[in-house]
Amino acid sequence: DHPFFAVTQKDGTFEICGLDPGSYELKAWQPFRFFASTEKTYKVTVEADGEAEVEITVGVKPKKKKK
């Protein structure tokens, strides 16, 4: 319950504004079950200039083999 969240743009980028410098935990979540993981957590440090960059990679679950 806070104002620090973002939804990605069509190209996958996002921006969260208004954070003070310091260390944060970023939680990335997506609702589609065909991806390998629906939630990941990243450690992020916002520097004094107010910028930080995080690269998030989401893989697709391997298909189950038919018997």
Side-chain angles (χ1 to χ4, degrees):
D1 297 329
H2 55 75
F4 302 112
F5 67 93
V7 176
T8 57
Q9 302 295 316
K10 288 184 179 183
D11 66 357
T13 60
F14 66 94
E15 187 174 296
I16 300 173
C17 298
L19 291 170
D20 291 329
S23 295
Y24 295 91
E25 190 173 273
L26 172 70
K27 191 175 288 188
W29 173 85
Q30 56 77 29
F32 304 108
R33 300 224 180 263
F34 56 82
F35 288 111
S37 176
T38 59
E39 186 175 288
K40 289 186 178 182
T41 302
Y42 301 85
K43 300 285 184 189
V44 180
T45 300
V46 177
E47 301 296 336
D49 66 4
E51 292 192 13
E53 191 170 309
V54 178
E55 184 172 321
I56 298 170
T57 304
V58 179
V60 177
K61 284 183 185 178
K63 291 185 177 183
K64 291 183 180 180
K65 295 181 181 181
K66 295 181 180 180
K67 293 181 180 182

